[in-house]
Amino acid sequence: MFGLAGPNGAGKSTLIALLLGFLGPSSGIVRIHGLPPRRFVERHGVGYLSELVNIPVAWRVQQALHRYALLAGVSAGELHERIERSIVQLGLEEHRGKRVRQLSKGNLQRLGLAQALLHDERVVVLDEPTHGLDPVWTQRFRDLVQALRRDDRIILIASHNLDELARLADRVAILDHGRLQRIVEVRGSATSPDERTPYRIVVLRGAPLVTEVFPGGELVGHDEYEITDATITEISAGVGQLLARGALLGALHPAQSALETHFRAAMTEGATGRATP
C-alpha cells in the first residue's frame, strides 16, 4: 500500500498519468513489472479511479458496471458475480437502476470505486478515493482497501488527506514541484526517544500542575495543553510526576501525526531547494 502526497501542482496527477501510460516521460524510464506502462496495462490491466469520476450521465448504475466489466476483460462466466459483488461492496443495491445523473456526489464516488475494483487487478491506482464520501463510507473504504492487501498486488493511493494515508499506507512518497522530497515509512515507524515531537495532554484534574512540570506548556483548549519543547522521554517522566502529584489525565497524544511532521519538513526542504534527487 503506497501513498502519494503533495500540495496542489506537486506532480501527483502527472506521475499517475505516466504510470498509466497516458503520458510518456520527457526523460528517464517508467516500468511496471519490467514493462512500459501502456504495454503492462494492455496485457494485465490496471484498476483505476480518477480524481474526478466522469461516467456518462445517461447510463444506469448496473449498466455502467456491466460495460466497464466487459472493457476490463471479465469473463462471461464471472460477469454477473463480479458486478453483484461490486454493487454490494459499495452499497449500491438501492441505486442499481438509477441513472448516473441521479446519483449524489458520494454515490458517484462509490460507483467509481466499484468499477476500479471489478477485475481484481494486481495494480490498483486510486486518486483521491475518499473525495465526497461521508464518514461512514470513509471508514468502510478503509476496511475494503485493507481487505485488498495481497503479496502480489500494489495499491497506490494519491490523497491530500494525510490522516487517511497514515492509516492505510505502508510507505508514502512526498512530492513537491515535480520532485521527490522524501519517502516516509509509515508502518512500524516510531518516535525516537530523543526527538522533540509536539504532544497534547488533556488533564481532567490538576490542570495547574501542567505548567509547573512542563514550563513551556501552552493551554490550547479546555484543560488541554500542548508540549512542544520536550522529548518523549521527558514527556513520559513529566506525566509520571503529574500522576504522582494527583493529576488525572484524560488523554495524551501527538499534536500531529508522524506523516504530517514529515510533510511539513519536506515542504520546508522543497522551499529551500534541498529536495531529494
Side-chain angles (χ1 to χ4, degrees), residues 62-80 82-83 115 118-119:
Q62 187 160 340
Q63 176 190 48
L65 290 175
H66 184 270
R67 290 175 172 176
Y68 283 123
L70 290 174
L71 287 172
V74 176
S75 65
E78 294 184 300
L79 200 61
H80 177 74
R82 288 289 180 89
I83 292 171
Q115 69 78 27
L118 272 170
H119 198 247

Side-chain angles (χ1 to χ4, degrees), residues 31-51:
R31 293 288 184 268
I32 302 177
H33 203 59
L35 295 174
R38 199 69 222 161
R39 193 176 305 168
F40 179 91
V41 172
E42 290 167 354
R43 288 188 184 181
H44 306 289
V46 168
Y48 173 51
L49 172 70
S50 60
E51 181 178 3

Side-chain angles (χ1 to χ4, degrees), residues 175-186:
L175 302 181
D176 190 27
H177 291 91
R179 294 179 65 84
L180 176 67
Q181 299 297 323
R182 60 178 64 187
I183 294 179
V184 181
E185 298 284 344
V186 178

Side-chain angles (χ1 to χ4, degrees), residues 136-188:
V136 171
W137 271 102
T138 297
Q139 181 58 56
R140 290 190 186 180
F141 165 77
R142 293 170 188 159
D143 297 338
L144 177 62
V145 171
Q146 292 289 6
L148 292 174
R149 283 183 177 273
R150 208 170 68 192
D151 288 344
D152 65 341
R153 171 181 286 143
I154 183 167
I155 302 172
L156 175 68
I157 300 177
S159 179
H160 287 100
N161 189 332
L162 296 180
D163 180 61
E164 199 68 38
L165 293 179
R167 290 171 181 267
L168 292 173
D170 301 299
R171 294 186 297 160
V172 176
I174 300 175
L175 302 181
D176 190 27
H177 291 91
R179 294 179 65 84
L180 176 67
Q181 299 297 323
R182 60 178 64 187
I183 294 179
V184 181
E185 298 284 344
V186 178
R187 292 282 175 257

Side-chain angles (χ1 to χ4, degrees), residues 52-129:
L52 298 176
V53 179
N54 188 10
I55 297 172
V57 295
W59 289 6
R60 298 187 187 276
V61 168
Q62 187 160 340
Q63 176 190 48
L65 290 175
H66 184 270
R67 290 175 172 176
Y68 283 123
L70 290 174
L71 287 172
V74 176
S75 65
E78 294 184 300
L79 200 61
H80 177 74
E81 179 186 348
R82 288 289 180 89
I83 292 171
E84 285 303 308
R85 183 181 68 181
S86 294
I87 287 174
V88 172
Q89 279 182 327
L90 276 304
L92 295 169
E93 297 99 320
E94 64 181 289
H95 307 293
R96 66 171 72 234
K98 290 183 180 178
R99 297 191 185 277
V100 171
R101 69 164 62 93
Q102 297 175 286
L103 298 179
S104 67
K105 187 175 183 179
N107 289 334
L108 178 61
Q109 187 74 1
R110 282 151 57 189
L111 177 57
L113 281 165
Q115 69 78 27
L117 303 178
L118 272 170
H119 198 247
D120 203 30
E121 307 286 7
R122 291 162 56 202
V123 176
V124 179
V125 179
L126 305 176
D127 195 356
E128 298 292 346

